[in-house]
Amino acid sequence: MHIDWIAMGQVVIAGLVAGVGTVVVFSLGMAALGHRVVDVSHARKATAATTAAWSCFGACLALLAVGVYLIIGGR
Amino acid sequence: MGGMSMVVVAVVVLTALIFDFTNGFHDSANAMATSIATGALKPRVAVAISAVLNMVGAFLSVQVARTISAGLVNESRIAPAIIFGGLVGAVIWNLLTWLLGLPSSSSHALFGGLIGATWVSAGANAVHFTTVLDKIIVPALASPIIAGVIAGVATYSAYRITRRTDRTLQARGYRAGQIFSASLVSLAHGTNDAQKTMGVITLTLITAGILPAKSSPPIWVIASAGLAIALGTYTGGWRIIRTVGRRITDVETPQGFAAETSAATIVLASSYVGAPLSTTQVCSGAVMGAGVGKRGGVVHWRVVGRMVLAWVCTLPAAAVVGALAGRLAGTGTTGTVAVAALGIAVAGGIYWLSRRQPVTAANVNTVPAPAPATP
């Protein structure tokens, strides 16, 4: 029996980095968006929160694009 | 393969496409169950998106198709009748688990059916058991555990990071994210699962001498396999969607997003490595992980237990049906017709049983009576 530990390890690392990573970045975006709502309701400038939120969501879209690219161009 | 008529080859190809259809409606739950449960997508919209992306996915990759037709069984030893028997075993097991609302693996049903039919008809040494173990059973055991752990960590992180965020905003934000994550799962599913049917049809054409050994699937095979899985997906296996979306755990949008993102990543990574993994087990494992990862989350382990039991039974059960069907079909044209008739009768019976308590797009999110105390 030959278990391909390297392949298995690659799947785990991909899951932790790309899977958990995407969720973390998206969640940071959500938290920033929450801050923005609070800032706006207190009539404060919300530029920093807004920028942070959309940077996070942009990064998620980029990760999504990487996923699609891996399907299309990966082989 | 000696003397097999084109008619038999045509029957096998048709049965492979029927299997592909059952694969589609069996697995629409994988991508869309949590999105439907959280209301991120309306049921009909969800299955329509999933169907289109499965179709697209079918065209994007043929790596797994090659793995299956070139390594699982000894191609020089099996006839189209054996493949037919294997497919019948897979279709019947898929229909039975659908009736029970259990998200079992269509891959395992197919592999089991093929292995059983090959074993009985061509002998045990025509089955490459080490390949079966290394390429199918080990990844299948590992994938739900890996998916569960990763989805659990992702869910925990999501709730932790957004713990001070307004609940309504949180629910809405992750609901939007779920549309993307569910779509990616569907696309990844198409790249994996439509290929199994392509692999089987290609294997049939190779054994019938129509294609040379180790051929890639021709374009009409890719197109028809993609179409069959898309139609199946659009039909929607509502019974299984209800189990995965409502019965494993009460899925909230952050959990749905975490589960789908984790599942998509794992399916893609495994597909990239070339392992024909069970998408079903990855997705169900991810939903369980999402249930565990939320503080105070409740996972209904009795439902999980039934699911795991179905997973364990899938390969051997499909192998037994596949062996019987393959044996009978191998006796000649009369035997093949008899198997087809029996298969249609069983499928009709299962459909008739399902009509007594139909689950549709309209009632997919309502879990009627509390689960009975005895299994």
Side-chain angles (χ1 to χ4, degrees):
Chain A
M1 181 165 112
H2 168 78
I3 301 176
D4 196 344
W5 292 110
I6 295 175
M8 204 95 81
Q10 284 169 335
V11 173
V12 172
I13 290 168
L16 285 174
V17 174
V20 176
T22 307
V23 174
V24 165
V25 173
F26 188 89
S27 302
L28 290 171
M30 287 306 304
L33 210 53
H35 276 291
R36 182 184 173 275
V37 172
V38 174
D39 285 347
V40 169
S41 67
H42 289 77
R44 287 196 301 255
K45 265 181 71 136
T47 323
T50 310
T51 312
W54 291 110
S55 308
C56 289
F57 296 138
C60 287
L61 281 177
L63 284 162
L64 180 71
V66 170
V68 174
Y69 171 78
L70 282 177
I71 301 174
I72 298 169
R75 59 199 95 227
Chain B
M1 55 108 213
M4 274 297 163
S5 66
M6 286 304 289
V7 177
V8 173
V9 173
V11 167
V12 176
V13 170
L14 189 67
T15 314
L17 293 174
I18 292 171
F19 164 75
D20 205 24
F21 178 85
T22 67
N23 193 161
F25 79 69
H26 217 273
D27 290 7
S28 48
N30 290 339
M32 291 302 173
T34 61
S35 298
I36 291 170
T38 60
L41 289 164
K42 295 221 178 304
R44 289 264 175 228
V45 175
V47 292
I49 292 174
S50 188
V52 170
L53 291 171
N54 266 292
M55 178 91 199
V56 172
F59 280 93
L60 294 178
S61 164
V62 289
Q63 182 156 340
V64 180
R66 286 207 200 99
T67 308
I68 288 165
S69 58
L72 192 65
V73 290
N74 187 337
E75 285 172 22
S76 63
R77 303 271 299 275
I78 63 170
I82 295 177
I83 302 175
F84 176 61
L87 285 167
V88 170
V91 168
I92 288 177
W93 181 255
N94 260 0
L95 289 176
L96 201 63
T97 45
W98 163 73
L99 179 67
L100 298 170
L102 292 171
S104 67
S105 163
S106 300
S107 328
H108 287 194
L110 177 63
F111 299 145
L114 281 176
I115 290 166
T118 306
W119 191 339
V120 168
S121 306
N125 59 358
V127 180
H128 297 160
F129 286 104
T130 41
T131 311
V132 173
L133 194 64
D134 297 345
K135 290 262 182 185
I136 294 160
I137 295 181
V138 170
L141 288 175
S143 48
I145 298 169
I146 294 172
V149 170
I150 289 171
V153 174
T155 304
Y156 177 80
S157 313
Y159 279 104
R160 176 94 193 138
I161 293 168
T162 61
R163 68 189 182 284
R164 294 203 187 87
T165 305
D166 176 67
R167 293 293 104 170
T168 318
L169 179 70
Q170 185 199 48
R172 278 179 50 207
Y174 285 105
R175 192 173 292 149
Q178 267 201 287
I179 295 170
F180 294 98
S181 56
S183 298
L184 195 60
V185 176
S186 293
L187 189 65
H189 183 262
T191 61
N192 263 299
D193 279 33
Q195 292 176 39
K196 293 201 301 276
T197 304
M198 292 177 214
V200 170
I201 295 177
T202 308
L203 180 61
T204 308
L205 298 174
I206 290 171
T207 56
I210 296 169
L211 287 176
K214 297 194 188 287
S215 296
S216 292
I219 186 74
W220 68 267
V221 172
I222 299 174
S224 53
L227 192 64
I229 204 164
L231 281 175
T233 306
Y234 184 70
T235 310
W238 304 112
R239 310 177 86 84
I240 301 171
I241 291 175
R242 186 169 67 177
T243 303
V244 177
R246 306 295 300 189
R247 290 201 160 140
I248 297 177
T249 184
D250 270 329
V251 188
E252 296 178 352
T253 57
Q255 291 169 293
F257 180 73
E260 286 166 353
T261 306
S262 307
T265 314
I266 292 162
V267 171
L268 277 180
S270 307
S271 177
Y272 194 73
V273 174
L277 86 168
S278 159
T279 319
T280 304
Q281 293 174 358
V282 168
C283 293
S284 310
V287 173
M288 284 177 229
V292 174
K294 185 197 165 196
R295 187 187 294 222
V298 175
V299 176
H300 300 118
W301 294 109
R302 213 175 57 78
V303 177
V304 173
R306 285 181 59 192
M307 238 164 53
V308 172
L309 187 65
W311 292 352
V312 173
C313 291
T314 296
L315 204 137
V320 169
V321 181
L324 295 173
R327 187 75 180 198
L328 186 53
T331 58
T333 311
T334 319
T336 307
V337 172
V339 170
L342 280 170
I344 292 167
V346 171
I350 291 173
Y351 180 75
W352 177 77
L353 283 172
S354 80
R355 298 309 297 168
R356 300 200 300 188
Q357 274 184 310
V359 181
T360 62
N363 67 356
V364 66
N365 272 342
T366 42
V367 179
T374 49

